[in-house]
Amino acid sequence: MKIALVGYGAMGKVVEQNISDSDRIVGIVDLNNLPSLFALTEKPDVIVDFSNPACLDDICNYASQNKVPVVIATTGYSSEQLEKIKTLSQSVPVLFSGNYSLGVILLNRLVKEITPILKDTFDIEIIEKHHNK
């Protein structure tokens, strides 16, 4: 599988390090690499986005024009940007989740299971602390 990686922070680097031998990165879009997905010399099979909301227009335009599926793992979108993601999903496959952390996924699952049991007798509060980078 040919992967275009948008964003090369901590998670982008983890994705790159964990690419299997049968997969490869055809380009990295960030401040130190390619300026845009349109600068790719090879069409990817998927775009994986660990960047920031400012990159959304480039991702949507490239993905819709080239019919490339997108994995979006970025947070902080405005309601207008969320609508753009929804619109994009009507023309190409989109997997959108603001968090791919195993801990957060497990916590969400636990909360869904315990809330019906505890809701009438407990006040439930969750405080999220992000990594320090």
Side-chain angles (χ1 to χ4, degrees), residues 1-5 15 19-20 23-28 40 43-48:
M1 178 179 294
K2 295 180 271 185
I3 301 164
L5 187 56
V15 169
I19 298 289
S20 69
D23 298 328
R24 63 186 175 90
I25 294 179
V26 297
I28 298 172
L40 292 170
K43 180 181 172 185
D45 297 314
V46 66
I47 298 165
V48 178

Side-chain angles (χ1 to χ4, degrees), residues 97-127:
S97 176
N99 199 311
Y100 287 80
S101 161
L102 178 59
V104 171
I105 291 168
L106 290 174
L107 182 60
N108 284 336
R109 186 179 295 171
L110 288 170
V111 168
K112 286 178 185 173
E113 288 188 32
I114 65 169
T115 300
I117 299 166
L118 301 177
K119 69 179 181 178
D120 295 327
T121 56
F122 284 78
D123 290 329
I124 300 170
E125 179 179 1
I126 297 173
I127 300 171

